[in-house]
Amino acid sequence: MEKNGKQIILVICIYLLAKSVLNLFLGFGAESVMNLIVMTVLAGVLICRIVKGRWIVGAALIIVCLFHLKDNLHGLPGTWIYLAEGILDVGAAAVLFCSKDVEAYMNSSKER
């Protein structure tokens, strides 16, 4: 279970960084740079297995999704990529909240 959890966490961290870099290319600005910094910190929280880190990262993903939802829905069809990103954010948060493998990995102390 821990091995699967570690792989899931790694995929989510790659997703967080990839989406931030993509957003940086799509619309370079202070908000994009700040987003890259925040997502890098959140990925670090997961990698370091901070206590309750999966809840923090999942909540942050949900908040970001909800914050941008109105604009993404209003701008359709031109904002479909951002809407897809929001769906992936909710999916990643659901995995962080519900996966027993992720829970086992985050709560294990073998590698600490």
Side-chain angles (χ1 to χ4, degrees), residues 3-110:
K3 184 178 179 182
N4 290 339
K6 184 176 184 176
Q7 292 172 343
I8 292 168
I9 291 294
L10 187 61
V11 168
I12 291 174
C13 289
I14 291 169
Y15 164 71
L16 291 174
L17 297 175
K19 82 179 208 132
S20 296
V21 170
L22 177 64
N23 283 333
L24 195 63
F25 286 123
L26 291 175
F28 186 81
E31 182 180 349
S32 297
V33 173
M34 182 59 79
N35 185 39
L36 178 62
I37 293 168
V38 169
M39 291 302 159
T40 302
V41 169
L42 291 177
V45 165
L46 291 176
I47 295 291
C48 293
R49 296 193 287 185
I50 303 294
V51 176
K52 306 290 183 192
R54 68 190 181 110
W55 298 102
I56 295 166
V57 175
L61 288 171
I62 296 292
I63 290 167
V64 167
C65 178
L66 290 175
F67 182 76
H68 293 289
L69 184 61
K70 181 181 174 189
D71 293 333
N72 292 342
L73 289 175
H74 186 262
L76 280 174
T79 58
W80 67 269
I81 194 165
Y82 296 112
L83 195 56
E85 177 186 339
I87 292 168
L88 288 173
D89 286 350
V90 170
V95 169
L96 289 171
F97 292 151
C98 300
S99 173
K100 295 294 181 189
D101 292 339
V102 169
E103 181 179 4
Y105 174 70
M106 294 297 284
N107 292 333
S108 71
S109 61
K110 287 183 181 177

